[in-house]
Amino acid sequence: MKKGIRVFVGMLMCVLCMTPVHALNANSTFDSLTVLSQTLSPAFSPTVTQYTLNISNDTQMITIAATAHNKQAVVTGLGSFPIDKDQEVFVITVRFGKKWTTHYTINVVRQPKPLQMTYHGQTLTLANSFDGVQVPTSFIPTTTMIQNTSALALHNEELNKTICFLKDESGQGAFYYVKDGKVEGLFRSIELNDTSYILVDIPQSLQQRQHFHTKTFTINNQTITGWVYQDGDPHYYQLYLENLKGQKAIYQYDQRDHSLQIYKAALVDQENHEIFYQIIIGILIVVLVGFRWYFQHFKRVRIAEIKEYYALRQVSILNQKEDSHY
C-alpha cells in the first residue's frame, strides 16, 4: 500500500515537472505602450511588463495608450487618469480568449517639488541632477542643506566652496556659489593651458590701473572683463583670475597663441603694497605702544603729585593746629 502511494506521488511529480511554466503569448501582448508626453523606463518591450514613469511635480494627469498585437484581444486600463498622489500604480491588461492574459504595470512617481532660491531679484530653481551638465574640474559631488532639505551640490576642499546648478526663469542653467542655504554669487570657470581658473570680480582697488584701460572680450565663449594696454600690444589681455587653490592674481593672456602667465609687474605691485601695509601697521603699533607708555607714565606722575599734595596739605594742617595751640 505504502509502496503504491510512493509510486503515485512520484508519477505526479514527474507530470508537474514536465508541465511548461506559463509564458507570454504573443496574442496577449502589446506592440506599443505609451504615456502621452512622458517616457517610460525601461523603454517598452512586449515581453517586459513592469515600468516606471517619473513625472514632474506639476503634472496633474497622464494619458495611457497601447496597441494590442492581436486586434481581437480585449484591452483594459487605457485612457486619461488624474494623479492625486506622489506614487500611484496603473495596471493595463490585455486578454486574448479565456486562456491568455497579460498585465502591464506602470509605477508612476511624482518628483518632489524643486527647491527655489532668489538672487538679485530673480527666482532660481535647483536642478535635481547634473545630467548633460559639464561639472567643473576638481569639484566633487556632495550635498548641502537648503530650506531644511538635502540638495545636490559640488564642493572644492581647497577653495572651501560649494556650488549648485540652478536654472533661471527662462530655463538657462549655471553654477552658483551657495553658503548657509543662500546664493552668494555666480560661479564661472574657464579652461586655459589645460588648467581650470575661476572668473572672479575685479576688486575696487584694481578697477583703475595706470597705463591700462578696462575692456570686455571673449575667450573660449566666455565674456570676460579685464584690461588692455593703453599704448601697448593689443594682442595682450590681462585677466583677474583665481586658481583652484584659492590664489587670485592678474594673468597676461596672448590671444595669438592662447598662452597664459602670471603678470610679474602685478606681483611686484602686490609685494610693494604688502610692504607698505606692513610699514603702516608697524608705525601704528609703535604709536599705540608709545601712547600706552605715556599714559601709564603720566598716570604714575599724577598719582605721585596728588599724594605729595595731600601729604603737604596734611603737614600744613598739623602746623596750623600747633600754632593755634600756642
Side-chain angles (χ1 to χ4, degrees):
M1 182 68 177
K2 292 183 179 179
K3 183 178 179 180
I5 294 175
R6 285 198 298 268
V7 172
F8 175 77
V9 172
M11 292 176 64
L12 180 61
M13 292 298 294
C14 289
V15 172
L16 291 174
C17 290
M18 293 173 63
T19 302
V21 177
H22 175 73
L24 292 179
N25 184 283
N27 291 312
S28 64
T29 60
F30 287 130
D31 284 343
S32 67
L33 176 63
T34 60
V35 179
L36 184 65
S37 302
Q38 304 290 344
T39 302
L40 292 174
S41 177
F44 174 74
S45 172
T47 58
V48 177
T49 59
Q50 295 287 334
Y51 296 92
T52 298
L53 178 66
N54 293 310
I55 61 174
S56 62
N57 185 265
D58 57 355
T59 300
Q60 303 297 323
M61 181 174 292
I62 63 171
T63 300
I64 303 174
T67 302
H69 179 72
N70 192 311
K71 294 183 179 180
Q72 296 181 359
V74 178
V75 179
T76 58
L78 303 181
S80 298
F81 306 93
I83 304 298
D84 301 321
K85 303 176 182 178
D86 291 338
Q87 188 166 351
E88 298 197 40
V89 178
F90 295 88
V91 178
I92 305 93
T93 301
V94 54
R95 181 180 291 107
F96 181 77
K98 296 182 179 180
K99 185 177 180 181
W100 301 104
T101 301
T102 304
H103 303 287
Y104 291 85
T105 302
I106 300 177
N107 296 289
V108 179
V109 179
R110 190 199 301 273
Q111 298 301 302
K113 186 177 181 179
L115 295 173
Q116 292 186 326
M117 312 169 72
T118 57
Y119 178 67
H120 286 181
Q122 65 175 338
T123 300
L124 302 175
T125 302
L126 182 72
N128 293 324
S129 72
F130 296 134
D131 294 342
V133 178
Q134 184 175 357
V135 175
T137 306
S138 78
F139 280 80
I140 61 174
T142 186
T143 56
T144 186
M145 295 302 295
I146 299 176
Q147 299 171 13
N148 297 321
T149 303
S150 180
L152 186 64
L154 298 171
H155 184 73
N156 182 294
E157 190 66 32
E158 290 189 291
L159 295 174
N160 192 26
K161 294 288 187 180
T162 299
I163 58 177
C164 290
F165 192 75
L166 305 172
K167 293 183 179 181
D168 60 21
E169 296 168 354
S170 65
Q172 294 294 321
F175 283 102
Y176 289 81
Y177 292 109
V178 175
K179 184 177 181 182
D180 298 330
K182 297 180 180 180
V183 179
E184 284 194 322
L186 178 65
F187 170 88
R188 294 198 303 155
S189 63
I190 188 171
E191 292 281 337
L192 296 170
N193 291 350
D194 298 324
T195 304
S196 293
Y197 296 90
I198 299 173
L199 301 176
V200 292
D201 294 333
I202 299 175
Q204 189 66 33
S205 60
L206 294 176
Q207 292 288 339
Q208 302 294 331
R209 295 174 59 206
Q210 192 175 9
H211 308 304
F212 293 90
H213 65 264
T214 57
K215 183 179 179 180
T216 300
F217 31 80
T218 302
I219 302 176
N220 293 353
N221 298 321
Q222 293 271 24
T223 301
I224 306 172
T225 299
W227 305 270
V228 292
Y229 292 94
Q230 289 180 349
D231 301 315
D233 193 332
H235 295 99
Y236 288 112
Y237 299 156
Q238 293 201 349
L239 318 173
Y240 190 68
L241 304 173
E242 180 180 7
N243 63 23
L244 295 181
K245 294 184 178 180
Q247 300 167 331
K248 299 176 183 178
I250 297 175
Y251 290 81
Q252 184 156 287
Y253 174 79
D254 189 339
Q255 63 170 324
R256 293 167 297 188
D257 59 7
H258 308 293
S259 61
L260 185 76
Q261 59 183 355
I262 289 182
Y263 181 54
K264 294 182 179 180
L267 295 179
V268 172
D269 292 342
Q270 184 177 356
E271 291 176 356
N272 291 337
H273 286 151
E274 290 178 355
I275 294 173
F276 174 76
Y277 291 139
Q278 290 174 359
I279 292 174
I280 294 298
I281 292 173
I283 293 174
L284 289 174
I285 291 174
V286 171
V287 170
L288 290 174
V289 171
F291 178 78
R292 182 178 180 183
W293 176 85
Y294 175 79
F295 177 76
Q296 291 179 342
H297 176 72
F298 176 78
K299 183 178 179 181
R300 287 196 297 268
V301 171
R302 287 294 298 160
I303 291 174
E305 291 177 349
I306 292 171
K307 287 182 178 180
E308 183 179 1
Y309 169 79
Y310 280 105
L312 292 175
R313 182 176 176 82
Q314 190 68 23
V315 171
S316 176
I317 293 173
L318 292 174
N319 290 336
Q320 290 178 0
K321 288 183 177 180
E322 290 180 357
D323 291 342
S324 62
H325 177 73
Y326 291 107

